[in-house]
Structure formats: C-alpha cells, structure tokens
Amino acid sequence: MLLASQLKVLSQPVQYITGRVNDANGAPVEFATVTLHRAVDSLVVKSEYTGQQGDFRIAAVPQGNYFVQVSMVGYERYTSAPVVVPASTAQESGIAGVVTLPVISLVSSVSTNLKEVTVQTRKQLFERESDRIIVNIEGSPLAAGATSLEVLARSPGITIDQNDNISMRGRQGVLVLLDGKLIPMTGTELGNMLRSMPAEQLEKIELITNPPAKYEAAGSAGIISIKTKKDTRLGTNGSVNLSYGRGQFGRFTSGVTLNNRQKKINLFGSYNYTNRSGFSILDLHRDFYINSSLVGSSKQYNYQEMPMQSHTFRGGIDYTITKSTLLGLTVSGLANDIDVNGTNDTRTFNAQGSPEAIYSSDNVRAFTSPNMAVNMNLKQTVGKGGELTSDLDYARYSSKRLQNLTTRFSLGGPASPLVLQGDQTGLLTIKSFKADYTKSLPKQTRLEAGAKLSWVHSDNDVLFTNIVEGRTLIDSGKTNHFIYDENIIAGYINLNRKFKKTTLQLGLRGEQTNTTGLQAIGEEGFDRHYFQFFPSASFKHSLTDKHELSMSMSRRIDRPSYNQLNPFRSYIDATTYGAGNPSLLPQLSYNMEAAYTFRQKYTASFSYNVTSKPMISVVQPAPDGDRLVVSTFRNLTRQDYYGITLTAPVEPAKWWRMYNNVVGYYNVFIGDLAGTSLNAGLPAFSLSSNSTFTLGKGWSADLNATYQSRELYGFLRVRPLGQLTGGFQKNMLGKKGTLRINFTDIFYTNRVRATSTYSNYVERFNQRQDSRVGTVSFIYRFGRETVPPSRRNQGGAEEEKRRAS
C-alpha cells in the first residue's frame, strides 16, 4: 500500500498526475483502468488507460483531495493514499505542475488476499464525460438476454423508429462504430445486425456528440461507439454465455470467446449464435385527396413473424516484431438468415365510404447475407513521442433476397390470385488504406495527422416476375440492374494544446468524393465529383474546481447509404413497397454546442445545428398511381435544431444510485415534397432514468425507465412512447459465474403510433412488436488470472462499411 509520505506533491501549480503500472514481475501492464476519485464522496472525476509501457497521465486536475485506483482483470484493485492537489495559479514559465506517483505494482488476485479495507466504488450504468455519455453494459442485469439494439434503445437521448433508424437527441444521421470500426449497415440492416449481437458481449457504449477532425466527417448527429469485452489475461482464457428469453416467441443466444497471449504473440477469437423470433403488428389507415377533396381511403392490418438465425465470428493475431513495432491481422464475419412470413388484410373505400375492394395477401420473404472483412494493421513508434499506425482493409458483403407476394381478391379484383415474385442478388466490395500519425510537441501540444483512400463497388441485380393464370411473365417495370462506384480521398490535421486551466483543439479535414451510379435498364444514372472542407474546434476551461465550461463546433456530412441509393423495390404488401432513391444528395451540417459542468457531476448543455438538404424517410403516394404507397428517402431544403441536455446523477441512499438525463429539443424542417410545403417545428423531449441497487450477498438490481414525448420529424408526427425494464443479478462460483434475470417493457408501452400528412395523402399507423420479454442468462469465465492485455485494432474502412447494406 502506498504511503502518503511517498507522494511527491509539488509546490508549483499541479495539473497532471502521472505514474506507471507494473505487474509483480516488473512487466508493464497495458490498458489498466486508472480512475481519479474525489476523497469526500468517492465520485469518479477522471479516468485513463495505461499505455504500452504501463504509463498513464491524468490531465487538468482541479484543486482538491483525491485518491487513485487502478483495476485490471486478474489483479487486486489498487487504491492509493490521499493525493492533495493545491490551488492552480499561473507561473511566469507557463509550465504546469506534475505529481509523479511511485511505480505501482499490481498483485495477482489469485496469489494474494489483502486484509486492508479500501474505499469501494460501484461503476454506474451511465457516466458523463465532457464530450460524451458512457453506458457501462458489462455487469448490468439489464444486459441479460438483451440484444445490443435493445440496450442502445434504453440509452440517454437515443430513439429508434419503426424502420430501425437511430436518432440521437432528436436528430438522425448517427455514425455507429463497433470496436472502432464503423458498422457496415444502416436502417433495417443495421438493426438486424445489432439484434444478432448479444448484449453480454458488450463492455460499454459511448455517445459522442461532437467528434474532432480525426474521425470520419460523417455523422452529423454524432457518433455511437460500441466496445466489446476483451479478455486480457495471460495464457489461455475465455468465457461462455447462454440465455433464453420468452415473449410470445422464444429467443436463444449463446457465445464463446477465447484468448491466448504469450510474450510476443496474442491469438484471439469469438463466436456467437442467435436463434430468435418475434412478431410485428401494423395497423394502417390511409386517406387520399385531390385538390383537398377526399377521393378514397383504405384500412389495412399487417402481421409478420420474423424468425432469425445469425452467426458472428471474429479472430486474429497480434505479433510484436520489436519493442516499437506491432503487426496485427483480424478476420471477422456475419451470416444472417432471416425469414419473414406475413399476412395482410386490406379494405379500400370510395369517397362516400362504400367498399371498393377487399383482398388479402401472403408475403413470404427470405434474406441471407454471408459477409466477411479482413484487416491488416501496423503500429510503429517513430522517434521520441511519435507514433504511426496504418490499416489495410478489404470487405465483401453479399446478399440474396427472395420474395413471394400472393394476393387474393374477394371484392373488386380478378378471380384468380395475383402472384409477384422477386429475386435480388447484391455484392458490395470495400477496399481502403488509412495512415495516422501522432506526435507530442513541446508545451503540452499534440499533433495528429492522417490520410485515407477508399474504393467501393456495389452491384445489385433484381428480377421480378408475375404469375398470371399459370403463366410466368417478366415484370419489366420492376426488373433492373444498378451499379454504383465510389472513391473518397481524405486527409486531416489536428492540434491539441493544454494550458494551465484550458484545453484547446483545432482541426481541419478535407475529402474529395467521386461517385457514379447507373441503372442498366433505361440507362439512368449520375456522375458526381465534389471536394469539401470540414473544420472542427473545441475549448474547455476550468473556472474553479467546481465549475467548468466547454464549447465545440464542427462541420459534418452524411452521404446516402448504398441501400438508400438503390432503387430496387421490396414489397411489404400489395399496395406498399420500399425503395431507394438514386437522386438522393448528401446532407451537410454545422454543429455547435456549449456545456457547463458543476462539481464534475451535474451538466447542462445547449446545442444548435443547421443542416442543408436533410435526408428524411418518407411514406407517400407512389408514382405508379392506383393508390400505391412507397417508403423511400428524400432531401428537404433545411433543418434547424435547438437542444438542451441536463444530466443529474444522484444517490438517494448508500445502496441506491440514480442517473437522470433529460433532452429538450425543437426541430424545424423546411422543404417541399409531394406537392406539400413544409415549414414546421414542434417542441419535444426525452427522459431516461436508471437506478442501480446493491442488495448484498452478491445480489444487485437495475431499473431503467425511458420516455419520449410527441415529436415532429419532417412530415411524420409521432405520439409519445416509453418503457420500463428491470433486472436482477447474482454472482456465484467464486465470482466466475453470473446469473441474470431481466424483464423488458414490463407494461407493454413501447409501441409506435404516428401520422404522416401531405396535401394529397394522410396515413395513420400503429405498430407493436414482441417487446415484453422475460429472460434468464448465465455467463461463466475461465482461465488464468495474470494479465498483460491484448490489443484490438480499429481498422480503416469505417465510413464505407457503415453505409453498406
């Protein structure tokens, strides 16, 4: 145990606490978690990870009394003696003071049983940092049997609509990363991938509102960074997990992770299997108008069962060539097999309300997607304080969609059934190269610079046929072949300077985009070339040890995903289909945010964003006429967003911790679509509250409540919705096993009810899913307990993979 007399408390202004962490044999421990706690209440003020040499630095520490804790899997938690940070006053030299702790030696949790009583802290499910909210999934009962999508939907400020479009603080256009690599999908495809990933595999989710220039320029609403658990122990180690949940249908998930680390070689791998099913009920009422006069209406009832099987795997090797050079190779894959069995009942009426047609449809769809990605990476220490990393990526995403829509009329249609069959195949390949350089400069300045090249090729072919009275005829109006190519050349530079109480960051990113698209039938296409600059800046200043101000600004772009550009149709029922829009343009936004933090605990922030050509999802009459409706994407003229976020963690009792978050916002959309002019906004807010209970004897519990008020998004007006979720957890088998019980959407209130309004068309819908589920899960960890950790690379084909489908 470190003695107070051993600490070096300097008389000059202290702004940094530094140190080094070794194991019992003197080897450096990388990626150990170092947390700085306030002595008065044990609140976590700042946290860092140790570097490759076991070193750490906690920056911009305000005046106060603290203690330092170091934690790592396989070691006893280390707690320092009190650390006193005096008032920070300027010196003529302008050099910040440093407290250097003696070398910290971690003790294996197997070989030593400490008798001293140390200050104990519990990691909260939600934590707030200056530029992000962290959702700590690992160890929470709410993760029991849940999918990554379900846990994300309960996170502060996050909403997910009926088409799996993700919004952060009321805005769409979110970048989603998995272990630093952008997930290669959007919308329904992204939703299906996150459904196939058990939440037990996650460590945490970070919600980043205004990222700097080193990140991709995409993501006008911010970045969601999902990080998986990583077994960092020496030798061969791993874990297995099983869970079963039951709503109306069953949900089974299982997985295994393995890791073997030797002195220079680290081998790692994981595999997960999911077999789950659910339902979706969609009630629709549609009114059609001409010159403001009602000409007809329809009522529809859609029911779908959606069994899904998925296999995900990831494996690789890290090889330490020299002390300054590390080479890595990672292979990952995802295979989804989704079947949709749907029925539809429709009644159409004339202007007087008399029935015109009555029909029912059977819709059988099958979707398979065997996908694979390979990443090779190199990390090289260059000179003193310099580091160069490079990534070479190749990814191949193939898909096959089969559809059979059979419609039978009992009134107002042909006597024989109408059969529409679709066969779509797609292939997407992504190649990219990325290099990043980091250099520490004098006067607490850090330089970051990098470049990236990417090439994308998308080839989609679809054949539609109609079966009429036993004859199969090609439907030339729906059959097509769409080819898309994209090349992006990007470079960035970023400077970060730390002063005595202030941190300043300035960055500039430039991207040249070249795209071509062609529909083989009709020879319709586009050829676009454009260059854009994306500046970013942030400023953080500590007024006192209790008050902190921060501001940030960035310009960002959201390019259409490859599926959003693909014009091919996917039929939901006989009168409704989804399709992309080859004419869709990128949206550009300016984002500004100012935040105030009190006692490193309570935060209030104000944000403003203006977006030109915002891309929104719309449902409107199709160009085919005959009361067909298409779900697609369109550009509006402008979107203005005003938001206020309040964060308040409280502790009503020693055994009860609560994290509360409220986001109030006002969205204004301007544009013209389907003969309708739009210039409207509506105040809205979202609430989330999570309580963590320590029950004793290895038991703990969580209770999560979310609420989304009514809101207006483009032409869509959504009614309020929310849910209550709770869970229990029990540690057993010497803390190697964990049993969890979880109940989601207890009162079955998480349903979407909305109205889409145009001058010639109004649609009201009510959608319910199999969201009320009880789940039991068990995870068991095995292996040795000594730890130099493994490394996981982030890769370079990030933005392209997010937009792939």
Side-chain angles (χ1 to χ4, degrees), residues 188-247:
T188 302
E189 287 77 16
L190 173 60
N192 287 333
M193 178 183 178
L194 294 178
R195 287 187 186 93
S196 69
M197 184 184 301
E200 282 91 345
Q201 297 295 319
L202 304 187
E203 177 189 356
K204 61 183 177 180
I205 298 174
E206 296 183 350
L207 311 176
I208 309 171
T209 55
N210 223 0
K214 68 176 294 183
Y215 287 93
E216 304 282 344
S220 59
I223 289 178
I224 296 174
S225 178
I226 302 173
K227 297 185 178 181
T228 60
K229 297 177 185 176
K230 296 177 177 60
D231 196 325
T232 59
R233 293 167 291 179
L234 193 65
T236 301
N237 312 279
S239 65
V240 293
N241 68 82
L242 293 170
S243 72
Y244 182 77
R246 187 75 190 184

Side-chain angles (χ1 to χ4, degrees), residues 249-399:
F249 296 94
R251 306 180 178 193
F252 172 77
T253 59
S254 62
V256 59
T257 62
L258 290 171
N259 194 92
N260 181 277
R261 182 175 180 109
Q262 304 302 325
K263 185 175 181 181
K264 287 191 174 184
I265 296 179
N266 182 52
L267 297 171
F268 55 90
S270 64
Y271 169 77
N272 291 288
Y273 171 71
T274 300
N275 189 334
R276 57 191 289 121
S277 188
F279 70 82
S280 175
I281 299 174
L282 179 63
D283 296 317
L284 292 166
H285 180 93
R286 294 168 173 167
D287 293 322
F288 298 86
Y289 297 86
I290 296 179
N291 297 326
S292 301
S293 298
L294 180 68
V295 295
S297 61
S298 67
K299 292 183 178 180
Q300 296 178 237
Y301 174 82
N302 289 281
Y303 176 82
Q304 292 183 345
E305 292 182 8
M306 297 166 287
M308 177 182 77
Q309 294 188 60
S310 67
H311 305 264
T312 59
F313 71 89
R314 187 171 187 265
I317 181 173
D318 291 329
Y319 178 65
T320 303
I321 302 174
T322 67
K323 290 183 178 180
S324 59
T325 306
L326 183 65
L327 180 66
L329 177 68
T330 303
V331 179
S332 59
L334 165 67
N336 274 336
D337 189 349
I338 304 173
D339 296 314
V340 179
N341 303 304
T343 59
N344 164 262
D345 293 305
T346 298
R347 295 173 179 262
T348 65
F349 306 89
N350 60 21
Q352 291 72 40
S354 301
E356 287 184 332
I358 300 175
Y359 59 86
S360 62
S361 301
D362 294 323
N363 191 0
V364 179
R365 288 179 286 172
F367 171 71
T368 57
S369 59
N371 306 320
M372 182 173 290
V374 180
N375 166 262
M376 181 176 292
N377 55 85
L378 180 68
K379 180 179 178 181
Q380 177 73 47
T381 301
V382 181
K384 185 177 180 180
E387 184 178 272
L388 177 66
T389 60
S390 57
D391 290 272
L392 185 64
D393 283 87
Y394 175 80
R396 175 188 172 93
Y397 301 95
S398 59
S399 63

Side-chain angles (χ1 to χ4, degrees), residues 722-768:
Q723 68 169 333
L724 182 69
T725 297
F728 296 89
Q729 174 176 293
K730 169 67 173 176
N731 292 323
M732 56 184 60
L733 302 177
K735 295 186 178 180
K736 289 181 176 290
T738 303
L739 176 68
R740 295 171 182 157
I741 304 172
N742 186 48
F743 302 93
T744 64
D745 196 10
I746 296 172
F747 299 107
Y748 199 40
T749 52
N750 192 31
R751 58 181 65 188
V752 180
R753 296 167 296 172
T755 302
S756 187
T757 304
Y758 303 87
S759 60
N760 63 344
Y761 171 73
V762 176
E763 177 183 284
R764 301 173 182 87
F765 69 85
N766 181 1
Q767 185 176 39
R768 294 91 75 198

Side-chain angles (χ1 to χ4, degrees), residues 779-799:
I779 183 169
Y780 180 76
R781 295 165 290 276
F782 58 88
R784 297 176 61 186
E785 300 293 334
T786 51
V787 186
S790 60
R791 167 182 173 265
R792 297 290 186 268
N793 184 69
Q794 295 183 354
E798 296 141 343
E799 162 64 359

Side-chain angles (χ1 to χ4, degrees), residues 61 79 116 138 152 225 248-249 301 429 486 505 507 557 574 651 654 658 679 705 741 749 776:
V61 180
T79 302
E116 289 89 343
E138 187 174 11
L152 180 60
S225 178
Q248 182 169 323
F249 296 94
Y301 174 82
T429 58
E486 176 186 277
Q505 178 271 134
I557 186 173
E651 190 168 350
K654 290 184 178 181
M658 179 184 291
N679 188 348
I741 304 172
T749 52
V776 177

